[in-house]
Amino acid sequence: MAEPQDQRRSPSEPPFTPHRRAHTRAHDLERYAGLFAERTRVMRSSAMRDLMEITARPEVISLAGGLPDTSTFPPSSFAAQMTRIAQESSAEALQYGPTEGFDRTKECIREVMAAEGMDPDPEDVIVTTGGQQAIDLVAKTLVDPGDPVICEAPTYPGAVPVFSSYQADTFQVSIDDDGMKIDELEALLDRLATDGRKPKFIYSVPSFQNPAGVTMSAERRRRLVQIARERELLVVEDNPYGLLRYEGEPTDPLYKLDGGDYVLYLGTFSKILSPGIRLGWLCAPPPVMEKVVLGKQASDLCTSTLTQYFVAEFFAEERWRAYIDDLAGIYRARRDAMFDALERHFPPQASWTRPEGGLFVWATLPDYIDTTDLLAKALREDVAFVPGAAAYVDGRGGSSMRLNFSSSDEGEIREGIERIGRVVAEQVDLFETITGEHKLPPPPDPPAPGSVLPFRHK
Ligand SMILES: Cc1ncc(COP(=O)(O)O)c(C=O)c1O
Protein backbone atom coordinates (compact mmCIF):
# COMPACT_ATOMS: atom_id res chain seq x y z
CA MET A 1 0.00 0.00 0.00
CA ALA A 2 1.33 3.48 -0.87
CA GLU A 3 2.30 5.77 2.00
CA PRO A 4 0.37 9.03 2.17
CA GLN A 5 2.31 11.75 0.33
CA ASP A 6 3.31 13.85 3.35
CA GLN A 7 4.68 10.87 5.30
CA ARG A 8 6.99 9.60 2.59
CA ARG A 9 10.69 10.07 3.46
CA SER A 10 13.94 9.03 1.89
CA PRO A 11 15.95 6.63 4.12
CA SER A 12 18.67 9.28 4.58
CA GLU A 13 16.28 11.84 6.05
CA PRO A 14 16.32 12.16 9.86
CA PRO A 15 13.12 10.96 11.50
CA PHE A 16 10.45 13.58 12.00
CA THR A 17 10.73 15.18 15.45
CA PRO A 18 7.75 17.10 16.77
CA HIS A 19 8.75 20.69 17.62
CA ARG A 20 7.62 20.31 21.25
CA ARG A 21 10.81 18.83 22.68
CA ALA A 22 13.25 19.40 25.50
CA HIS A 23 14.36 22.91 24.43
CA THR A 24 10.81 24.28 24.69
CA ARG A 25 10.01 22.74 28.09
CA ALA A 26 10.66 25.82 30.28
CA HIS A 27 8.65 27.98 27.93
CA ASP A 28 5.81 25.42 27.91
CA LEU A 29 5.68 25.40 31.68
CA GLU A 30 5.23 29.16 31.76
CA ARG A 31 2.62 29.01 29.04
CA TYR A 32 0.49 26.41 30.83
CA ALA A 33 1.07 27.39 34.45
CA GLY A 34 -1.73 29.95 34.46
CA LEU A 35 -4.19 27.39 33.10
CA PHE A 36 -3.83 24.71 35.75
CA ALA A 37 -6.76 24.17 38.10
CA GLU A 38 -6.24 25.03 41.74
CA ARG A 39 -6.42 21.34 42.68
CA THR A 40 -3.32 20.51 40.64
CA ARG A 41 -1.26 22.43 43.21
CA VAL A 42 -1.91 19.77 45.82
CA MET A 43 -1.89 16.74 43.53
CA ARG A 44 0.76 14.21 44.52
CA SER A 45 2.41 11.58 42.45
CA SER A 46 1.89 7.98 43.48
CA ALA A 47 5.20 6.80 44.87
CA MET A 48 4.53 3.26 43.68
CA ARG A 49 3.81 4.34 40.11
CA ASP A 50 7.07 6.33 40.03
CA LEU A 51 8.93 3.36 41.40
CA MET A 52 7.45 1.00 38.84
CA GLU A 53 9.28 2.94 36.14
CA ILE A 54 12.59 2.83 37.96
CA THR A 55 12.29 -0.83 38.86
CA ALA A 56 11.35 -1.96 35.35
CA ARG A 57 15.06 -2.73 34.71
CA PRO A 58 15.23 -6.53 34.62
CA GLU A 59 18.24 -6.68 36.95
CA VAL A 60 16.34 -4.93 39.77
CA ILE A 61 14.73 -7.10 42.43
CA SER A 62 11.64 -5.08 43.19
CA LEU A 63 10.08 -5.54 46.60
CA ALA A 64 8.38 -2.21 45.92
CA GLY A 65 5.30 -3.03 43.86
CA GLY A 66 2.06 -4.53 45.08
CA LEU A 67 1.93 -6.91 42.16
CA PRO A 68 0.27 -10.29 42.44
CA ASP A 69 2.06 -13.10 40.59
CA THR A 70 0.03 -13.30 37.38
CA SER A 71 2.35 -16.00 35.99
CA THR A 72 0.41 -18.41 38.24
CA PHE A 73 -2.69 -18.08 36.04
CA PRO A 74 -2.58 -20.90 33.46
CA PRO A 75 -2.24 -19.42 29.94
CA SER A 76 -4.25 -22.33 28.54
CA SER A 77 -7.28 -21.40 30.72
CA PHE A 78 -6.93 -17.78 29.69
CA ALA A 79 -6.85 -18.79 26.01
CA ALA A 80 -9.88 -21.08 26.41
CA GLN A 81 -11.93 -18.42 28.20
CA MET A 82 -11.12 -15.70 25.68
CA THR A 83 -11.82 -18.09 22.80
CA ARG A 84 -15.25 -18.90 24.23
CA ILE A 85 -16.00 -15.20 24.53
CA ALA A 86 -14.91 -14.60 20.92
CA GLN A 87 -16.97 -17.49 19.62
CA GLU A 88 -20.13 -17.01 21.67
CA SER A 89 -20.40 -13.31 22.62
CA SER A 90 -18.06 -11.38 20.37
CA ALA A 91 -20.35 -8.46 19.52
CA GLU A 92 -21.60 -8.00 23.11
CA ALA A 93 -18.12 -8.32 24.64
CA LEU A 94 -16.81 -5.62 22.30
CA GLN A 95 -19.73 -3.28 23.00
CA TYR A 96 -20.33 -0.59 25.71
CA GLY A 97 -22.07 -1.85 28.84
CA PRO A 98 -24.19 -0.39 31.63
CA THR A 99 -22.44 2.10 33.95
CA GLU A 100 -23.32 -0.03 36.99
CA GLY A 101 -21.79 -3.16 35.42
CA PHE A 102 -23.36 -6.40 34.20
CA ASP A 103 -25.60 -8.51 36.43
CA ARG A 104 -23.31 -11.48 35.69
CA THR A 105 -20.32 -9.59 37.06
CA LYS A 106 -22.34 -8.63 40.13
CA GLU A 107 -23.10 -12.33 40.66
CA CYS A 108 -19.36 -13.05 40.71
CA ILE A 109 -18.86 -10.18 43.14
CA ARG A 110 -21.57 -11.57 45.40
CA GLU A 111 -19.80 -14.95 45.38
CA VAL A 112 -16.54 -13.32 46.43
CA MET A 113 -18.23 -11.30 49.17
CA ALA A 114 -20.21 -14.33 50.37
CA ALA A 115 -16.88 -16.08 50.97
CA GLU A 116 -16.35 -13.51 53.75
CA GLY A 117 -19.92 -13.68 55.01
CA MET A 118 -21.38 -10.66 53.20
CA ASP A 119 -24.57 -10.53 51.16
CA PRO A 120 -24.96 -7.18 49.36
CA ASP A 121 -28.09 -6.22 47.43
CA PRO A 122 -27.04 -6.15 43.72
CA GLU A 123 -28.60 -2.68 43.51
CA ASP A 124 -25.99 -1.50 46.03
CA VAL A 125 -23.09 -2.71 43.87
CA ILE A 126 -21.32 -0.86 41.06
CA VAL A 127 -18.53 -2.45 39.01
CA THR A 128 -15.57 -0.09 38.76
CA THR A 129 -12.33 0.19 36.84
CA GLY A 130 -10.32 -1.32 39.69
CA GLY A 131 -10.59 -0.59 43.38
CA GLN A 132 -8.59 2.54 42.69
CA GLN A 133 -11.48 4.06 40.75
CA ALA A 134 -13.81 3.11 43.59
CA ILE A 135 -11.67 5.18 46.01
CA ASP A 136 -11.67 8.02 43.51
CA LEU A 137 -15.46 7.86 43.04
CA VAL A 138 -16.08 7.89 46.79
CA ALA A 139 -13.88 10.95 47.18
CA LYS A 140 -15.39 12.61 44.12
CA THR A 141 -18.88 12.05 45.55
CA LEU A 142 -18.22 13.13 49.12
CA VAL A 143 -15.25 15.50 49.39
CA ASP A 144 -15.27 19.25 48.93
CA PRO A 145 -11.99 21.17 49.24
CA GLY A 146 -10.97 21.41 52.89
CA ASP A 147 -13.26 18.60 54.09
CA PRO A 148 -11.73 16.36 56.75
CA VAL A 149 -11.05 12.76 55.78
CA ILE A 150 -9.56 10.26 58.23
CA CYS A 151 -7.34 7.33 57.33
CA GLU A 152 -4.80 5.08 58.99
CA ALA A 153 -1.16 6.00 59.66
CA PRO A 154 0.36 4.54 57.56
CA THR A 155 -2.32 4.27 54.87
CA TYR A 156 -2.51 2.75 51.37
CA PRO A 157 -0.02 4.93 49.43
CA GLY A 158 -2.37 4.99 46.40
CA ALA A 159 -5.15 6.61 48.46
CA VAL A 160 -2.98 9.59 49.42
CA PRO A 161 -2.94 11.11 45.88
CA VAL A 162 -6.72 10.61 45.62
CA PHE A 163 -7.48 12.46 48.84
CA SER A 164 -5.07 15.26 47.94
CA SER A 165 -6.45 15.64 44.41
CA TYR A 166 -9.89 16.40 45.92
CA GLN A 167 -8.18 18.80 48.34
CA ALA A 168 -9.26 16.86 51.40
CA ASP A 169 -7.85 17.81 54.78
CA THR A 170 -6.47 14.37 55.61
CA PHE A 171 -5.95 13.22 59.20
CA GLN A 172 -4.18 9.99 60.06
CA VAL A 173 -4.77 7.76 63.06
CA SER A 174 -1.97 5.47 64.23
CA ILE A 175 -2.20 1.72 63.98
CA ASP A 176 -0.56 -1.11 65.87
CA ASP A 177 -0.71 -4.91 65.54
CA ASP A 178 -4.50 -4.73 66.05
CA GLY A 179 -5.12 -2.14 63.35
CA MET A 180 -6.45 1.41 63.75
CA LYS A 181 -6.28 2.69 67.33
CA ILE A 182 -9.89 3.42 68.08
CA ASP A 183 -9.17 5.49 71.22
CA GLU A 184 -7.02 7.79 69.12
CA LEU A 185 -9.76 7.94 66.48
CA GLU A 186 -12.34 8.96 69.08
CA ALA A 187 -10.03 11.65 70.47
CA LEU A 188 -9.56 13.00 66.93
CA LEU A 189 -13.32 12.97 66.27
CA ASP A 190 -13.88 14.88 69.52
CA ARG A 191 -11.21 17.43 68.58
CA LEU A 192 -12.76 17.94 65.16
CA ALA A 193 -16.23 18.24 66.71
CA THR A 194 -14.97 21.00 69.02
CA ASP A 195 -14.09 22.94 65.87
CA GLY A 196 -17.52 22.17 64.42
CA ARG A 197 -16.04 19.70 61.92
CA LYS A 198 -16.97 16.16 60.99
CA PRO A 199 -15.02 13.87 58.64
CA LYS A 200 -16.65 12.97 55.35
CA PHE A 201 -15.45 9.42 55.88
CA ILE A 202 -12.99 7.21 57.70
CA TYR A 203 -10.95 5.16 55.23
CA SER A 204 -9.57 1.86 56.47
CA VAL A 205 -7.92 -1.27 55.05
CA PRO A 206 -8.77 -3.50 58.01
CA SER A 207 -7.47 -6.84 56.70
CA PHE A 208 -3.76 -7.40 55.93
CA GLN A 209 -3.37 -3.71 55.54
CA ASN A 210 -1.47 -2.10 52.74
CA PRO A 211 1.23 -1.10 53.68
CA ALA A 212 1.64 -2.47 57.22
CA GLY A 213 0.18 -5.97 56.78
CA VAL A 214 -1.69 -5.79 60.09
CA THR A 215 -5.33 -6.78 60.65
CA MET A 216 -7.85 -4.90 62.76
CA SER A 217 -8.99 -6.98 65.74
CA ALA A 218 -12.61 -8.12 66.00
CA GLU A 219 -13.12 -5.90 69.04
CA ARG A 220 -11.85 -2.78 67.29
CA ARG A 221 -14.00 -3.59 64.26
CA ARG A 222 -17.09 -3.69 66.44
CA ARG A 223 -16.15 -0.44 68.12
CA LEU A 224 -15.48 1.29 64.81
CA VAL A 225 -18.87 0.29 63.43
CA GLN A 226 -20.55 1.31 66.67
CA ILE A 227 -18.87 4.74 66.53
CA ALA A 228 -19.92 5.16 62.90
CA ARG A 229 -23.52 4.41 63.81
CA GLU A 230 -23.59 6.54 66.96
CA ARG A 231 -21.94 9.54 65.32
CA GLU A 232 -23.54 9.01 61.91
CA LEU A 233 -20.22 8.77 60.09
CA LEU A 234 -19.31 6.89 56.94
CA VAL A 235 -16.56 4.31 57.04
CA VAL A 236 -14.95 3.24 53.76
CA GLU A 237 -13.71 -0.33 54.08
CA ASP A 238 -11.15 -1.22 51.40
CA ASN A 239 -10.65 -4.99 51.34
CA PRO A 240 -8.49 -6.26 48.46
CA TYR A 241 -6.67 -8.85 50.60
CA GLY A 242 -9.30 -10.40 52.93
CA LEU A 243 -9.29 -13.76 51.13
CA LEU A 244 -5.48 -13.98 50.97
CA ARG A 245 -5.07 -15.44 54.46
CA TYR A 246 -2.13 -17.77 55.18
CA GLU A 247 -2.79 -18.49 58.85
CA GLY A 248 -5.17 -17.61 61.69
CA GLU A 249 -8.92 -17.27 61.80
CA PRO A 250 -10.96 -14.95 59.54
CA THR A 251 -12.41 -11.76 61.03
CA ASP A 252 -15.77 -10.32 60.02
CA PRO A 253 -15.57 -7.44 57.53
CA LEU A 254 -16.87 -4.08 58.79
CA TYR A 255 -19.50 -4.19 56.03
CA LYS A 256 -20.91 -7.40 57.45
CA LEU A 257 -20.97 -6.03 60.99
CA ASP A 258 -22.73 -2.86 59.86
CA GLY A 259 -25.07 -4.29 57.21
CA GLY A 260 -24.18 -1.61 54.67
CA ASP A 261 -25.75 1.53 56.20
CA TYR A 262 -22.67 3.37 57.39
CA VAL A 263 -19.94 1.25 55.84
CA LEU A 264 -19.15 1.61 52.15
CA TYR A 265 -17.26 -1.40 50.83
CA LEU A 266 -14.54 -1.53 48.17
CA GLY A 267 -13.43 -4.78 46.56
CA THR A 268 -11.28 -5.80 43.63
CA PHE A 269 -10.39 -8.79 41.45
CA SER A 270 -6.82 -7.45 41.20
CA LYS A 271 -5.23 -9.52 43.93
CA ILE A 272 -7.34 -12.67 43.64
CA LEU A 273 -7.31 -12.89 39.84
CA SER A 274 -5.60 -10.13 37.83
CA PRO A 275 -4.89 -6.40 38.14
CA GLY A 276 -4.58 -6.14 34.35
CA ILE A 277 -8.31 -6.65 33.92
CA ARG A 278 -8.91 -3.49 36.02
CA LEU A 279 -12.07 -4.76 37.68
CA GLY A 280 -13.17 -3.66 41.13
CA TRP A 281 -16.39 -2.68 42.84
CA LEU A 282 -18.05 -0.46 45.36
CA CYS A 283 -21.05 -1.21 47.60
CA ALA A 284 -22.97 1.78 48.86
CA PRO A 285 -26.52 2.56 50.00
CA PRO A 286 -28.88 3.91 47.28
CA PRO A 287 -28.53 7.68 47.94
CA VAL A 288 -24.73 7.47 47.74
CA MET A 289 -24.85 5.03 44.81
CA GLU A 290 -27.00 7.42 42.77
CA LYS A 291 -24.26 10.08 42.91
CA VAL A 292 -21.47 7.55 42.40
CA VAL A 293 -23.12 6.37 39.17
CA LEU A 294 -23.22 9.96 37.90
CA GLY A 295 -19.58 10.37 38.85
CA LYS A 296 -18.63 7.20 36.98
CA GLN A 297 -20.59 8.20 33.89
CA ALA A 298 -18.50 11.36 33.76
CA SER A 299 -15.26 9.44 34.32
CA ASP A 300 -15.44 6.53 31.89
CA LEU A 301 -19.08 5.66 31.00
CA CYS A 302 -18.64 2.03 32.00
CA THR A 303 -16.07 -0.52 33.11
CA SER A 304 -14.45 -2.68 30.41
CA THR A 305 -17.08 -5.00 28.98
CA LEU A 306 -14.49 -7.43 27.71
CA THR A 307 -12.90 -8.01 31.10
CA GLN A 308 -16.31 -8.37 32.74
CA TYR A 309 -17.00 -11.18 30.27
CA PHE A 310 -13.65 -12.74 31.14
CA VAL A 311 -14.44 -12.74 34.87
CA ALA A 312 -17.87 -14.26 34.25
CA GLU A 313 -16.27 -17.03 32.15
CA PHE A 314 -13.65 -17.70 34.79
CA PHE A 315 -16.21 -17.87 37.60
CA ALA A 316 -18.44 -20.17 35.54
CA GLU A 317 -15.64 -22.77 35.77
CA GLU A 318 -16.09 -22.74 39.57
CA ARG A 319 -12.35 -22.91 40.20
CA TRP A 320 -11.84 -19.45 41.58
CA ARG A 321 -11.56 -20.59 45.22
CA ALA A 322 -9.03 -23.23 44.23
CA TYR A 323 -7.03 -20.57 42.38
CA ILE A 324 -6.95 -18.39 45.51
CA ASP A 325 -5.84 -21.42 47.55
CA ASP A 326 -2.99 -21.94 45.07
CA LEU A 327 -2.00 -18.28 45.37
CA ALA A 328 -2.16 -18.47 49.17
CA GLY A 329 0.20 -21.47 49.18
CA ILE A 330 2.73 -19.64 47.00
CA TYR A 331 2.52 -16.36 48.92
CA ARG A 332 2.74 -18.08 52.31
CA ALA A 333 6.08 -19.64 51.32
CA ARG A 334 7.33 -16.28 49.99
CA ARG A 335 6.24 -14.47 53.14
CA ASP A 336 8.07 -17.03 55.26
CA ALA A 337 11.18 -16.63 53.10
CA MET A 338 10.98 -12.89 53.74
CA PHE A 339 10.62 -13.36 57.52
CA ASP A 340 13.62 -15.67 57.48
CA ALA A 341 15.73 -13.31 55.38
CA LEU A 342 14.82 -10.32 57.57
CA GLU A 343 15.88 -12.28 60.62
CA ARG A 344 19.22 -13.09 58.99
CA HIS A 345 20.07 -9.85 57.24
CA PHE A 346 18.45 -6.92 59.06
CA PRO A 347 20.27 -5.47 62.06
CA PRO A 348 18.93 -5.96 65.59
CA GLN A 349 17.82 -2.32 65.61
CA ALA A 350 15.12 -3.08 62.98
CA SER A 351 11.62 -4.39 63.59
CA TRP A 352 8.89 -5.58 61.26
CA THR A 353 5.29 -6.75 61.21
CA ARG A 354 4.27 -10.41 60.87
CA PRO A 355 1.20 -10.36 58.61
CA GLU A 356 -1.09 -13.39 58.55
CA GLY A 357 -2.03 -12.65 54.93
CA GLY A 358 -1.90 -10.06 52.17
CA LEU A 359 1.19 -9.02 50.26
CA PHE A 360 3.27 -6.76 52.51
CA VAL A 361 5.63 -6.56 55.45
CA TRP A 362 6.31 -3.17 57.05
CA ALA A 363 9.80 -2.76 58.45
CA THR A 364 10.98 0.03 60.70
CA LEU A 365 14.65 0.99 61.05
CA PRO A 366 16.38 3.22 63.60
CA ASP A 367 15.01 6.74 63.25
CA TYR A 368 18.33 8.20 62.04
CA ILE A 369 17.86 6.26 58.78
CA ASP A 370 15.76 7.98 56.14
CA THR A 371 14.34 5.29 53.87
CA THR A 372 13.86 7.71 50.96
CA ASP A 373 17.64 8.33 50.99
CA LEU A 374 18.21 4.64 51.59
CA LEU A 375 16.20 3.77 48.48
CA ALA A 376 18.69 5.64 46.27
CA LYS A 377 21.49 3.51 47.79
CA ALA A 378 19.42 0.33 47.48
CA LEU A 379 18.75 1.02 43.80
CA ARG A 380 22.49 1.09 43.24
CA GLU A 381 22.45 -2.47 44.59
CA ASP A 382 19.56 -3.26 42.20
CA VAL A 383 16.88 -3.69 44.82
CA ALA A 384 13.81 -1.55 45.58
CA PHE A 385 11.19 -1.03 48.30
CA VAL A 386 8.57 1.66 48.99
CA PRO A 387 9.84 4.30 51.43
CA GLY A 388 7.48 4.70 54.40
CA ALA A 389 6.88 8.43 53.86
CA ALA A 390 4.67 7.55 50.83
CA ALA A 391 2.07 6.17 53.25
CA TYR A 392 1.71 9.40 55.23
CA VAL A 393 0.45 12.86 54.40
CA ASP A 394 2.56 14.63 57.00
CA GLY A 395 6.16 13.52 56.52
CA ARG A 396 6.02 10.72 59.09
CA GLY A 397 7.15 7.19 58.27
CA GLY A 398 10.65 8.36 57.28
CA SER A 399 12.43 5.38 58.83
CA SER A 400 10.00 2.69 57.64
CA MET A 401 9.64 0.75 54.40
CA ARG A 402 7.05 -1.43 52.70
CA LEU A 403 8.31 -4.77 51.44
CA ASN A 404 6.28 -6.84 48.99
CA PHE A 405 6.60 -10.62 48.97
CA SER A 406 4.12 -11.66 46.24
CA SER A 407 5.87 -10.69 43.04
CA SER A 408 9.34 -12.19 43.52
CA ASP A 409 10.22 -15.82 44.09
CA GLU A 410 11.78 -17.04 47.31
CA GLY A 411 15.36 -16.84 46.00
CA GLU A 412 14.86 -13.26 44.81
CA ILE A 413 13.25 -12.29 48.11
CA ARG A 414 16.21 -13.67 50.08
CA GLU A 415 18.68 -11.94 47.77
CA GLY A 416 16.69 -8.68 47.81
CA ILE A 417 16.48 -8.57 51.61
CA GLU A 418 20.17 -9.40 51.88
CA ARG A 419 21.00 -6.45 49.60
CA ILE A 420 18.76 -4.07 51.57
CA GLY A 421 20.25 -5.45 54.80
CA ARG A 422 23.71 -4.55 53.49
CA VAL A 423 22.85 -0.92 52.80
CA VAL A 424 21.07 -0.67 56.15
CA ALA A 425 24.12 -2.11 57.93
CA GLU A 426 26.34 0.48 56.20
CA GLN A 427 24.10 3.26 57.50
CA VAL A 428 24.07 1.83 61.01
CA ASP A 429 27.87 1.50 60.99
CA LEU A 430 28.27 5.04 59.66
CA PHE A 431 25.99 6.42 62.36
CA GLU A 432 27.77 4.52 65.09
CA THR A 433 31.19 5.59 63.83
CA ILE A 434 30.16 9.24 63.71
CA THR A 435 28.37 9.29 67.05
CA GLY A 436 30.53 6.72 68.82
CA GLU A 437 27.38 4.88 69.86
CA HIS A 438 27.51 1.22 70.77
CA LYS A 439 26.27 -1.37 68.29
CA LEU A 440 23.48 -2.84 70.38
CA PRO A 441 20.24 -0.87 70.65
CA PRO A 442 19.17 0.65 73.96
CA PRO A 443 15.94 -0.75 75.39
CA PRO A 444 13.12 0.76 73.31
CA ASP A 445 11.55 3.97 74.65
CA PRO A 446 7.78 4.09 74.78
CA PRO A 447 6.77 5.67 71.46
CA ALA A 448 5.56 9.27 71.40
CA PRO A 449 1.83 9.33 70.65
CA GLY A 450 1.21 8.95 66.95
CA SER A 451 4.89 8.89 65.98
CA VAL A 452 6.55 5.48 66.03
CA LEU A 453 4.51 2.37 65.36
CA PRO A 454 4.68 0.05 68.33
CA PHE A 455 4.64 -3.02 66.15
CA ARG A 456 5.63 -6.33 67.57
CA HIS A 457 9.37 -6.83 67.17
CA LYS A 458 10.50 -9.87 65.20
C1 LIG B 1 -5.69 -1.10 49.71
C2 LIG B 1 -5.77 -1.02 48.23
N1 LIG B 1 -6.82 -0.42 47.67
C3 LIG B 1 -6.94 -0.32 46.34
C4 LIG B 1 -5.98 -0.83 45.50
C5 LIG B 1 -6.15 -0.65 44.03
O1 LIG B 1 -6.31 -1.83 43.40
P1 LIG B 1 -6.95 -1.99 41.94
O2 LIG B 1 -7.24 -0.64 41.40
O3 LIG B 1 -5.93 -2.72 41.15
O4 LIG B 1 -8.18 -2.77 42.16
C6 LIG B 1 -4.85 -1.45 46.04
C7 LIG B 1 -3.79 -1.95 45.17
O5 LIG B 1 -2.73 -2.28 45.56
C8 LIG B 1 -4.77 -1.56 47.44
O6 LIG B 1 -3.72 -2.15 48.04
Side-chain angles (χ1 to χ4, degrees), residues 44-51 154-161 172 210-211 362 371-372 385-398 400-402:
R44 283 176 54 158
S45 167
S46 159
M48 294 115 40
R49 296 268 105 200
D50 295 346
L51 274 171
T155 190
Y156 164 47
V160 173
Q172 290 189 282
N210 180 357
W362 179 255
T371 51
T372 305
F385 54 81
V386 174
Y392 290 83
V393 293
D394 55 10
R396 281 188 275 166
S400 296
M401 61 173 74
R402 190 190 76 175

Side-chain angles (χ1 to χ4, degrees), residues 48 65-68 128-135 155-159 203-205 207-211 238-241 266-271 274-276 278-281 359-360 402:
M48 294 115 40
L67 314 186
T128 58
T129 302
Q132 189 68 28
Q133 185 185 47
I135 304 174
T155 190
Y156 164 47
Y203 171 81
S204 170
V205 185
S207 295
F208 316 127
Q209 201 235 18
N210 180 357
D238 191 1
N239 187 26
Y241 307 105
L266 315 185
T268 177
F269 291 104
S270 284
K271 310 301 159 123
S274 149
R278 309 303 305 127
L279 232 61
W281 66 91
L359 310 186
F360 307 105
R402 190 190 76 175

Side-chain angles (χ1 to χ4, degrees), residues 349-352 362-366 399-401 452-453 455:
Q349 293 90 339
S351 64
W352 52 88
W362 179 255
T364 299
L365 305 174
S399 59
S400 296
M401 61 173 74
V452 185
L453 291 167
F455 286 122

Side-chain angles (χ1 to χ4, degrees), residues 225-449:
V225 169
Q226 191 185 351
I227 288 167
R229 298 183 83 83
E230 282 169 7
R231 299 191 186 224
E232 302 207 317
L233 292 170
L234 289 180
V235 172
V236 177
E237 174 177 35
D238 191 1
N239 187 26
Y241 307 105
L243 290 175
L244 290 173
R245 175 176 281 282
Y246 318 133
E247 62 182 85
E249 290 307 309
T251 333
D252 282 339
L254 302 169
Y255 187 78
K256 179 181 173 191
L257 296 173
D258 166 64
D261 294 325
Y262 291 94
V263 176
L264 311 186
Y265 183 89
L266 315 185
T268 177
F269 291 104
S270 284
K271 310 301 159 123
I272 55 169
L273 175 55
S274 149
I277 60 175
R278 309 303 305 127
L279 232 61
W281 66 91
L282 161 67
C283 304
V288 179
M289 185 54 74
E290 208 176 292
K291 300 290 181 201
V292 166
V293 171
L294 297 178
K296 178 156 169 81
Q297 280 173 5
S299 291
D300 64 354
L301 306 178
C302 66
T303 298
S304 164
T305 309
L306 182 57
T307 61
Q308 289 187 69
Y309 268 74
F310 166 66
V311 165
E313 281 298 328
F314 175 60
F315 271 66
E317 291 178 359
E318 297 185 351
R319 284 192 308 105
W320 68 273
R321 285 308 294 267
Y323 181 62
I324 295 177
D325 289 346
D326 291 348
L327 283 179
I330 294 166
Y331 295 163
R332 182 187 298 110
R334 291 179 181 179
R335 178 201 62 166
D336 292 348
M338 182 169 277
F339 286 163
D340 187 50
L342 284 165
E343 204 71 64
R344 283 169 197 268
H345 302 297
F346 268 37
Q349 293 90 339
S351 64
W352 52 88
T353 55
R354 296 191 69 89
E356 293 187 329
L359 310 186
F360 307 105
V361 169
W362 179 255
T364 299
L365 305 174
D367 58 12
Y368 54 81
I369 296 183
D370 181 316
T371 51
T372 305
D373 293 343
L374 193 78
L375 176 62
K377 296 181 175 65
L379 282 169
R380 271 182 242 132
E381 301 284 326
D382 289 331
V383 62
F385 54 81
V386 174
Y392 290 83
V393 293
D394 55 10
R396 281 188 275 166
S399 59
S400 296
M401 61 173 74
R402 190 190 76 175
L403 298 164
N404 167 269
F405 54 78
S406 59
S407 62
S408 312
D409 66 28
E410 287 151 56
E412 289 166 335
I413 288 171
R414 289 178 197 281
E415 174 65 30
I417 294 293
E418 186 175 349
R419 289 183 198 174
I420 299 173
R422 253 194 326 261
V423 287
V424 172
E426 276 167 24
Q427 295 304 106
V428 171
D429 282 351
L430 190 66
F431 178 82
E432 286 170 355
T433 308
I434 292 168
T435 61
E437 280 193 19
H438 192 263
K439 273 202 177 306
L440 283 175
D445 286 336

